[in-house]
Every structure is written in structure tokens, then in C-alpha cells.
Amino acid sequence: MKRTIANTNNYFSSSVKKQTMIVNSVYTSAKVEGSKTTKKELKEHYKLIHS
């Protein structure tokens, strides 16, 4: 089996961990850029995209 980030990284082992990692990284990036976006809004947006 080919080793990729998706199958070797523990953060991709479940959908909840994957969502948490993505929301946290986007939130951090948004804060660096000065955005007023909240984590709650990002979680709702993530659920809309992946439902």
C-alpha cells in the first residue's frame, strides 16, 4: 500500500479528528489574517460542505 498523509497521519483516522484538525487550522489562519470568524461558524460551514 502506498504511504500517504491520509493513511499515516493519526489526525485522519476518524472523521471527527479530521474535522477538528481542519477547523482548527482554518481558524488559526483566519486569525492571522484578522478575520472575525468563530470556530462555531467554521464547524457549521464544514458540516454543510461535507453532508
Side-chain angles (χ1 to χ4, degrees), residues 29-38:
S29 297
K31 284 299 165 192
V32 168
E33 295 175 0
S35 176
K36 302 281 189 237
T37 306
T38 64

Side-chain angles (χ1 to χ4, degrees), residues 39-51:
K39 279 191 179 185
K40 184 177 180 181
E41 292 171 341
L42 290 172
K43 286 180 185 178
E44 291 172 3
H45 183 71
Y46 184 88
K47 287 179 184 177
L48 286 173
I49 291 172
H50 295 288
S51 61

